[in-house]
Amino acid sequence: MSLVTVNDIETRLGRSFDAAEQARAEAFITDVSALVVTYCRKTFTDESGVLTAPGDVKAVVCGEVIAALNAAPGISSEQIGEIQTTYTRYTAGLSSAARAALRRFRRRIGSVHAGGGS
């Protein structure tokens, strides 16, 4: 289940993707959507299976997908004096900012203790 579409990403970037970019975007959307669903412990669908992800969740997914698209591989830092360049690649996992934004959508897991009689 994808929480956003390629069109959502294209709209935010202000350009259309070619076939290769569209395939990459779809793959990242699938990955990030799965990570969000796992983190939040919910599917964001109603009883009839219709997607009901709030705008905040969609914004997080779009941001993480855009970051992944820009970092595969990408330059994470660059220094001109004494020439230094650091490359990074996308690693599966939500950023700390994404987790913080999603925290209020996360279902809590608790345990129930049975009364222990003697």
Side-chain angles (χ1 to χ4, degrees), residues 6-75:
V6 171
N7 187 53
D8 292 325
I9 305 300
E10 289 175 324
T11 299
R12 284 161 177 79
L13 292 176
R15 65 182 183 85
S16 296
F17 291 154
D18 63 24
E21 289 174 311
Q22 185 169 352
R24 284 186 67 229
E26 287 172 353
F28 283 131
I29 288 169
T30 299
D31 294 348
V32 172
S33 294
L35 290 168
V36 167
V37 166
T38 298
Y39 178 80
C40 292
R41 302 179 184 122
K42 62 191 307 183
T43 60
F44 297 103
T45 55
D46 64 17
E47 299 79 36
S48 61
V50 175
L51 183 65
T52 60
D56 303 32
V57 172
K58 291 180 181 182
V60 167
V61 173
C62 287
E64 293 291 291
V65 169
I66 290 168
L69 288 169
N70 288 330
I75 297 175

Side-chain angles (χ1 to χ4, degrees), residues 95-108:
S95 68
S96 58
R99 289 190 310 272
L102 293 171
R103 200 164 287 129
R104 69 187 178 104
F105 297 102
R106 191 170 197 204
R107 285 200 176 146
R108 299 188 193 280

